[in-house]
Amino acid sequence: MNKRKIPQTVILGGGLAGLASAYELSRAGKKVTVLEKWEDVGGLARTIKVGRFAFDTGPHRWYTKSNMVNGWMLKLLGKEVINVPRLTRIYFDKKFFFYPIKLKNAMMGIGLIKAFRAVTDYIIARLKSRLFPSVLHTMEDGYISQFGKTLYETFFKRYSEKLWGTNCRNISIDWVGQRTRGLNFLTILKESVFKSKSVVSLVDEFSYPDRGVGRIADKMVDFVKKSKGEIKLESEVVTVNCGGGKIVSVVAREKGGEKVYKAEEFISSIPLNSLVESLKPSPPAAILKTAAKLKYRDELQVALFIKKTHITPDTWIYVHPKEIPFMRVMEMDNWSSRLSPAGTTTMVFEVACNEGDRVWKMKDEQVINMIADSFISEFNLIKKEDLIGGHVHRVPKEYPVYHLDYKEDVQILKDYLRQFSNLQIIGRNGTFRYNNMDHSIEMGLYAAWNIIKGERKWDVDSVNIEREYLEEKKIETVEDELLEENGRK
Ligand SMILES: Cc1cc2nc3c(=O)[nH]c(=O)nc-3n(C[C@H](O)[C@H](O)[C@H](O)COP(=O)(O)OP(=O)(O)OC[C@H]3O[C@@H](n4cnc5c(N)ncnc54)[C@H](O)[C@@H]3O)c2cc1C
């Protein structure tokens, strides 16, 4: 049995990706150090507690196409997993529409004339792409090709522009592929006739930890700490020292001052541009210029605690009208009854913005009043006296913005980082890829396994690309074999 000494590892970022690496290395018996800038772990997938209320940082359903990742997650959470029926709708013109679109509901809701236009538009879009094939670049191109112009303008354009704060022509088509992969007018038609659920976006039940999505991070942290690993909170990596084709150490800003962490291996899940910008010696000016092109969309998450239950039947609702300040709202007691005290619920509203803009800088009280007034007047589901309180959570870097040539820019940065043989980059902002939780966890597992195995056997970069085009991977048992090899199973 090969009992290789597993190298000392420092992990940058304590979101799900970084924690998955820390968890696996701990399982293999290695003491790791995780450096996390915020006051808590979990990154974008946290459950925030305010008094007796708990709410998630945005709707987080667990769904994965990978049996390996699913099995890993179910083992981690054990009996805490519940199945939640999904109901998601779109709200505009004072009406609710099912999402993913259900043909009959959509066509009845938009009226006969528009419905006729939607069908003919879709046929025209398909014919055009057959007769005059061209390369599609933008989010608008993508949606029109999948759904036709009328359905795009009705169901996708307004929401997308509210989310991104820019015209759909300024965002790459890749975002459409990642968000509505496999979904188009024909799959919706097929789903309504045959009730087939082959497309991820159409799945109508999902797994969820009954005490909130934050349990995924908490469970990993408990294990890492039990295994004598370190989780350093409020520890912001500001400098990454490199030399001789390797990362030598990182410097983190902490309460007591700056601290240096040395290791043999480094895994980074911090934003790709931050990593490049913190390298010392500094990369060439052209690389720094490319890093500066990567942008993110930020968000306020506003929780209202309410003396009522099941105000809506939905897990979440997409809210299109421009004049309503929030773009999505979710109701926590439709996810789990354990998140709010009896007789109450929490509604969480997402307000897209840019860090430092007018909305971002509004006082918490102002934001809470703005959201409460808008929700009460537009939906008429609660009264002001039903409100118990509110809370505002500001989240920088929620969504990597896929500008039109982002792919080339990301590749330039990745190629530059490849010179550091003991560095692996993982995670959503870490790889600048629109990851879901399962993708980030999968990347984290691969990076850890590569270190445990002593060779770069698992390709982190293969995660969350068009799986349909990849050979099905047979990796269900690989992690256990690895741990056995290291004598830890
Ligand atoms: C609103 C919303 C809804 C979502 N819904 C779903 C869903 O339904 N299903 C699903 O599967 N996924 C969903 N996701 C995606 C999911 O949240 C992410 O894929 C996942 O949490 C990303 O984990 P990560 O570790 O890759 O990144 P992050 O969570 O971003 O973790 C990176 C960590 O690095 C830290 N960091 C940054 N800079 C530094 C630094 N300099 N030094 C130290 N630490 C640093 C950050 O604070 C953060 O904790 C959703 C995301 C959002 C925003």
Side-chain angles (χ1 to χ4, degrees):
M1 198 179 285
N2 162 26
K3 288 214 181 152
R4 258 190 71 251
K5 186 177 167 290
I6 301 168
Q8 177 64 36
T9 306
V10 164
I11 298 165
L12 286 60
L16 297 186
L19 291 176
S21 291
Y23 180 86
E24 285 301 288
L25 284 160
S26 302
R27 252 178 16 119
K30 191 68 209 171
K31 205 172 148 251
V32 291
T33 304
V34 178
L35 306 175
E36 167 53 50
K37 142 179 156 172
W38 285 352
E39 74 296 346
D40 203 356
V41 289
L44 296 174
R46 286 169 60 183
T47 300
I48 293 180
K49 295 194 180 85
V50 178
R52 291 167 62 211
F53 292 89
F55 63 91
D56 290 347
T57 50
H60 278 83
R61 69 172 183 144
W62 174 260
Y63 183 79
T64 179
K65 278 186 156 182
S66 160
N67 291 336
M68 183 278 290
V69 180
N70 201 41
W72 185 93
M73 172 62 74
L74 294 178
K75 211 152 127 192
L76 177 80
L77 288 174
K79 290 190 180 134
E80 292 188 29
V81 178
I82 54 173
N83 284 337
V84 176
R86 165 187 171 155
L87 173 63
T88 47
R89 291 185 296 169
I90 296 174
Y91 177 78
F92 64 85
D93 291 349
K94 309 268 177 208
K95 285 186 227 152
F96 288 95
F97 296 83
F98 291 116
Y99 185 82
I101 299 168
K102 288 198 164 57
L103 216 55
K104 195 167 149 203
N105 165 262
M107 294 307 184
M108 303 278 278
I110 61 179
L112 270 181
I113 296 174
K114 214 171 179 185
F116 178 73
R117 234 178 42 218
V119 176
T120 47
D121 271 358
Y122 176 72
I123 295 169
I124 290 170
R126 295 317 306 152
L127 279 177
K128 235 168 135 181
S129 77
R130 284 278 163 90
L131 296 174
F132 312 103
S134 61
V135 181
L136 308 176
H137 289 292
T138 70
M139 182 193 284
E140 178 165 296
D141 296 340
Y143 276 134
I144 292 179
S145 138
Q146 278 177 242
F147 299 99
K149 193 159 179 275
T150 302
L151 286 183
Y152 155 65
E153 282 175 352
T154 313
F155 289 102
F156 297 99
K157 186 174 192 293
R158 282 175 293 187
Y159 181 78
S160 304
E161 293 187 348
K162 205 168 170 183
L163 164 58
W164 296 110
T166 184
N167 193 294
C168 289
R169 278 180 233 125
N170 298 330
I171 305 285
S172 160
I173 189 172
D174 286 8
W175 195 73
V176 181
Q178 299 221 330
R179 187 155 179 94
T180 55
R181 188 174 291 166
L183 191 65
N184 58 42
F185 193 89
L186 283 183
T187 48
I188 290 168
L189 185 67
K190 214 167 98 192
E191 194 263 344
S192 66
V193 177
F194 302 110
K195 306 280 169 229
S196 87
K197 296 273 188 279
S198 56
V199 176
V200 174
S201 315
L202 294 174
V203 171
D204 51 16
E205 192 178 75
F206 56 84
S207 305
Y208 181 69
D210 65 350
R211 284 188 279 157
V213 73
R215 287 296 297 156
I216 303 175
D218 290 348
K219 284 274 218 180
M220 291 194 273
V221 165
D222 288 350
F223 184 81
V224 172
K225 282 187 176 165
K226 239 188 247 161
S227 314
K228 308 256 181 307
E230 273 186 306
I231 309 276
K232 306 282 285 186
L233 299 176
E234 297 184 272
S235 175
E236 180 181 4
V237 174
V238 287
T239 307
V240 176
N241 293 312
C242 43
K246 286 192 166 193
I247 303 297
V248 180
S249 65
V250 298
V251 182
R253 192 181 296 138
E254 298 178 353
K255 268 194 182 143
E258 290 196 341
K259 196 166 168 200
V260 180
Y261 292 87
K262 289 188 179 160
E264 293 152 88
E265 289 278 353
F266 293 84
I267 298 175
S268 172
S269 67
I270 70 172
L272 183 56
N273 53 342
S274 310
L275 174 68
V276 170
E277 283 158 3
S278 60
L279 289 171
K280 199 169 162 195
S282 259
I287 296 291
L288 290 174
K289 207 169 150 196
T290 305
K293 281 172 76 184
L294 302 192
K295 298 277 185 273
Y296 304 84
R297 185 74 162 152
D298 314 303
E299 188 175 279
L300 301 189
Q301 295 173 343
V302 186
L304 295 184
F305 311 122
I306 299 167
K307 239 185 296 166
K308 252 179 139 178
T309 57
H310 302 294
I311 294 164
T312 70
D314 305 80
T315 29
W316 69 89
I317 303 169
Y318 298 100
V319 180
H320 284 196
K322 241 191 198 155
E323 55 289 0
I324 302 178
F326 50 91
M327 60 171 187
R328 188 161 57 177
V329 52
M330 68 166 163
E331 181 169 354
M332 289 318 314
D333 67 347
N334 293 336
W335 292 66
S336 168
S337 57
R338 296 190 65 176
L339 299 171
S340 331
T344 67
T345 190
T346 306
M347 307 284 294
V348 184
F349 301 82
E350 291 172 72
V351 184
C353 59
N354 293 327
E355 194 173 352
D357 73 7
R358 185 188 60 80
V359 175
W360 181 271
K361 286 205 274 203
M362 277 170 81
K363 293 207 167 77
D364 288 4
E365 201 186 323
Q366 261 182 311
V367 179
I368 292 167
N369 284 335
M370 172 181 81
I371 296 300
D373 289 347
S374 164
F375 181 58
I376 292 169
S377 66
E378 184 69 33
F379 290 84
N380 200 21
L381 294 170
I382 60 163
K383 298 193 178 69
K384 196 115 197 183
E385 51 272 28
D386 296 324
L387 279 180
I388 301 167
H391 183 88
V392 181
H393 177 58
R394 287 175 174 74
V395 194
K397 300 189 170 54
E398 277 250 317
Y399 295 94
V401 179
Y402 283 4
H403 60 266
L404 292 181
D405 49 357
Y406 84 99
K407 223 184 221 161
E408 291 76 12
D409 291 333
V410 168
Q411 199 52 51
I412 289 170
L413 300 180
K414 282 186 178 166
D415 288 345
Y416 183 77
L417 291 173
R418 209 155 278 147
Q419 65 182 293
F420 306 115
S421 61
N422 62 344
L423 171 71
Q424 296 181 82
I425 57 167
I426 59 170
R428 173 151 150 150
N429 293 337
T431 57
F432 207 78
R433 192 172 288 176
Y434 186 68
N435 272 4
N436 274 327
M437 295 186 283
D438 58 320
H439 305 123
S440 277
I441 287 172
E442 190 172 355
M443 287 180 171
L445 299 181
Y446 285 5
W449 295 348
N450 284 336
I451 292 172
I452 297 168
K453 186 79 182 167
E455 55 180 294
R456 298 293 193 247
K457 195 173 162 193
W458 286 272
D459 183 7
V460 171
D461 219 32
S462 70
V463 178
N464 191 15
I465 58 171
E466 302 290 326
R467 231 173 233 284
E468 289 87 338
Y469 303 117
L470 288 178
E471 243 184 280
E472 199 49 48
K473 291 184 196 154
K474 299 263 185 290
I475 47 177
E476 271 72 5
T477 59
V478 120
E479 50 152 0
D480 289 338
E481 276 167 23
L482 251 185
L483 296 177
E484 251 164 33
E485 259 180 41
N486 283 279
R488 298 289 308 184
K489 184 137 187 256

